[in-house]
Amino acid sequence: MARARTARRPEADTDGVGLGWSARIMGVLRWAEHLVLAQVLIVVGTLAGGVVLGWHPSIDAAGRLLARLPAGTAPTAVGRDFWRAWRTGFRRANLVGAPLTVVAVLLVLDLAVVRVVNGPVRAALTAGLVVVGLCTVLAAAYLAPVLRRYDDGPVRVWRFLLLVPASTLPTSLALLVTLGVLATLFWFVPVLGALVGLSLPLLATGWIADLQLDRIDAR
């Protein structure tokens, strides 16, 4: 069901127009501020959990905050809300995210093996590495939205994460293209990558995944 839009009064003078532009600029600055703060908090939260145990709670907490930007309910106390979500979701985020960590480690090890073999073995390993890597990226893109939307346990969450990318191919393609564009952007503008290299992909993929999850929930 589409949301009803509130009719806007036409701007009668240049002051109103200027006010509208000021609001838009402030909105852009607010988004930029939240993205940079989320980036810093992800790094700090990851370190606070000893990296391995801090990574998933940090992504979960930052994803919850960033998801409020498109909804127009940006948090006013970003740090406080982040740490509250980080502590509350620490155990569940690590339980659900543990398989992703294991797969990521295995992919790194497989990449090391690919570099030292040749011939058909290398081709087969490379193909498998690409397929598993893409599936892992898609599962990771859906993980934060799924954690904040549903209360299911690790088994049900991962059953869903393994099935949804293949059953929603247009969304999966959109996620991969978005991540590819952002990776290219960060490659050519390293400063931007340092500022929002984690938070911006989290915001973008979270928004795309949420749209698909909304459609699934509406069925």
Side-chain angles (χ1 to χ4, degrees):
M1 182 181 295
R3 294 182 180 178
R5 294 185 179 180
T6 303
R8 295 183 58 191
R9 294 181 181 178
E11 301 293 349
D13 53 33
T14 55
D15 289 340
V17 175
L19 205 58
W21 277 108
S22 298
R24 292 188 183 94
I25 293 172
M26 290 302 296
V28 172
L29 291 176
R30 188 179 300 112
W31 278 53
E33 176 189 15
H34 279 68
L35 284 168
V36 173
L37 286 174
Q39 172 87 358
V40 173
L41 288 168
I42 290 173
V43 174
V44 175
T46 299
L47 294 176
V51 180
V52 175
L53 294 180
W55 172 245
H56 293 297
S58 297
I59 293 296
D60 177 36
R64 293 174 187 274
L65 298 182
L66 293 172
R68 294 166 61 180
L69 289 176
T73 57
T76 55
V78 179
R80 183 189 64 192
D81 291 353
F82 174 88
W83 289 113
R84 182 187 295 121
W86 191 91
R87 290 190 298 269
T88 302
F90 184 86
R91 182 175 181 274
R92 181 168 182 259
N94 276 307
L95 282 175
V96 177
L100 192 62
T101 301
V102 173
V103 172
V105 172
L106 292 176
L107 286 174
V108 172
L109 294 176
D110 286 346
L111 183 60
V113 172
V114 167
R115 291 179 176 177
V116 298
V117 297
N118 295 299
V121 175
R122 181 170 186 170
L125 288 176
T126 301
L129 195 62
V130 170
V131 172
V132 176
L134 291 177
C135 292
T136 302
V137 168
L138 291 172
Y142 272 103
L143 182 57
V146 167
L147 281 175
R148 69 171 175 267
R149 292 172 65 111
Y150 311 115
D151 296 324
D152 300 293
V155 175
R156 292 194 64 182
V157 168
W158 272 99
R159 185 185 303 136
F160 179 81
L161 291 177
L162 291 174
L163 292 176
V164 70
S167 61
T168 57
L169 290 178
T171 300
S172 298
L173 180 60
L175 288 169
L176 293 175
V177 170
T178 299
L179 289 172
V181 170
L182 291 176
T184 303
L185 177 63
F186 296 151
W187 176 267
F188 287 104
V189 190
V191 174
L192 187 61
L195 290 174
V196 294
L198 297 173
S199 58
L200 184 54
L202 184 60
L203 170 64
T205 58
W207 177 70
I208 295 172
D210 271 328
L211 292 177
Q212 180 59 52
L213 295 175
D214 285 340
R215 288 190 287 267
I216 293 175
D217 291 341
R219 292 175 184 172

